[in-house]
Amino acid sequence: TVPEGNEFNGTFPEWACQRKAKLEHLNKKLTSAVEVLQEFAELRDSNQDYPRALAFRRASSVLKSLPFPVQSVEQLKGFKDIGEHVKTVISDILDHGSSSEVDDIEKSEWFKKMKLFTSVFGVGPSTAKVWIERGWESLEDAQKDGCPSGDWRIAWGLAFSKDLNTPVCRSEAIAFSRIVQREAEHILPGVITTLVGGFRRGKPEGHDVDILLSHPTDEAEIGLLPKLIAALGKRGLILIGHKEKNSFRSDILYQDFKLSTRGQLDHFEKWLGICKFPKSFSKSKDSESNSEVNQETSFTVPALEATSDSSLDESINDLYEPKAKKSKSSGAIDTEPQHVSAAPRDWLARRVDLIIAPISQYYYALVGWTGSKHFNRDARLYAQKKLGLKLTSHGLFDLQKREPLTAETEEEVFSHLKIPYIDPTDRNC
Ligand code: DGT
Ligand code: MG
């Protein structure tokens, strides 16, 4: 029997951050269509908080958590996050197999170009629009211009767009985080290294590798990042990148929520860049070893433990043999990407984010950097509206009492939020 939405939705949690959303769910065809509408709205209006895009995001998040495949729009009666527009799209798909509105967007040249241009590191919707206005059709057109905006991210992003647009697989992310763990442990014994982002949510691939670092002793993490970057450089793993200083100020945390959420997402010290991953990191791409690695979903990278994949261990160890070749270009970072990309090479360019959090903020940083993006947005709005608390990647703050709610585990973050703990693999809302 087909479940009636309206008999079920009485028990359906109102907020996305209260619901489980697995990567694999029962309404993929519908969510991918709604996500096209969402992406189109985000690109067109260049404002991530535009209500139209938000409405699509909310609708697809509900569809991801439904315990049944939608077979009729009747089942969606009473779900306040699924509006008339989305219902029309869903009924088109249920009745005809596709939605003409979605198909038209996907076929439009403008949408294709916007997606292509915004896929470049450092290029957001407003830059992409400028490129379209200049009549550029392809990434080659942008490359011909040299460095179109003087932004290092765009120059390097364009030079390595082919590599960077090839998804990073799980074995690469694991191999690289083990190296980061090894190097960081050498510099700062007891360091905590955690692979975050989509990989912590169980995704088999991603667009980058996000690694969060901390240390059980507060302030011990100070000074780690420059040494870590130098160590990775010595191993020939750094192509280009920039450090951002810690700009955290406890006094700004109690300011008006809207004011302080504008602009930067957080104030941690971090390194954003492009690394050189030996091609051997991705050699265990075959399904057998990938399924083994896939079981490690929520993890802090264990120190120097063998992986379940011996070929991966070998390629990591290659970097540590005395005769391992060390790239000369790694010490002095080149600011001219063009000639680097021309030579044949045994590595792939990969986007990496390294984030440093003091232990007093670590569990909030862990939640923030695990995502998903919609999980964060929803949890922040929920905390503000339901609890009068301000949630960021730095902490949870009582705006009235002007005091922080500290957490010593990720579970404690959820309990402060009065939400049952949600496993990272269930945060794919
Ligand atoms: P991916 O890499 O395409 O598989 O997708 P994700 O989910 O790993 O997304 P990504 O890498 O853009 O960001 C990882 C998570 O961290 C995501 O949920 C949003 C969050 N995040 C990204 N950038 C920032 C930032 O600057 N500050 C904070 N607090 N969070 C961020
Ligand atoms: Mg990521």
Side-chain angles (χ1 to χ4, degrees), residues 196-199 201 203 205-208 210 265-266 268 270 353 368-373 376 380 393:
V196 288
F199 289 112
R201 301 198 309 276
K203 278 176 69 175
E205 9 178 87
H207 94 282
D208 66 357
D210 308 295
L265 278 171
D266 69 40
F268 290 118
K270 54 175 90 73
D353 292 342
W369 277 90
T370 298
S372 67
K373 285 189 185 93
N376 289 344
R380 286 166 197 203
S393 289

Side-chain angles (χ1 to χ4, degrees), residues 37 54 65 109 120 133 161 168 190 200 212 281 287 314 322 340 346 367 399 414:
L37 300 175
L54 183 64
S65 291
E109 286 306 314
V120 176
E133 276 161 26
S161 59
V168 182
R200 187 161 184 259
L212 178 64
F281 282 8
S287 55
E314 237 171 74
V340 185
D346 55 3
V367 171
L399 297 177
F414 283 81

Side-chain angles (χ1 to χ4, degrees), residues 281-335:
F281 282 8
S282 49
K283 71 180 160 199
S284 57
K285 235 180 184 166
D286 55 277
S287 55
E288 196 202 333
S289 48
N290 217 14
S291 67
E292 275 176 42
V293 195
N294 257 336
Q295 287 158 15
E296 292 182 64
T297 47
S298 173
F299 61 94
T300 295
V301 185
L304 302 195
E305 235 167 57
T307 66
S308 53
D309 178 338
S310 59
S311 67
L312 200 56
D313 286 337
E314 237 171 74
S315 60
I316 296 172
N317 287 333
D318 278 353
L319 284 164
Y320 288 88
E321 278 167 16
K323 57 182 182 301
K325 39 185 175 353
K326 289 173 193 166
S327 155
K328 274 213 177 122
S329 68
S330 57
I333 286 170
D334 225 323
T335 45

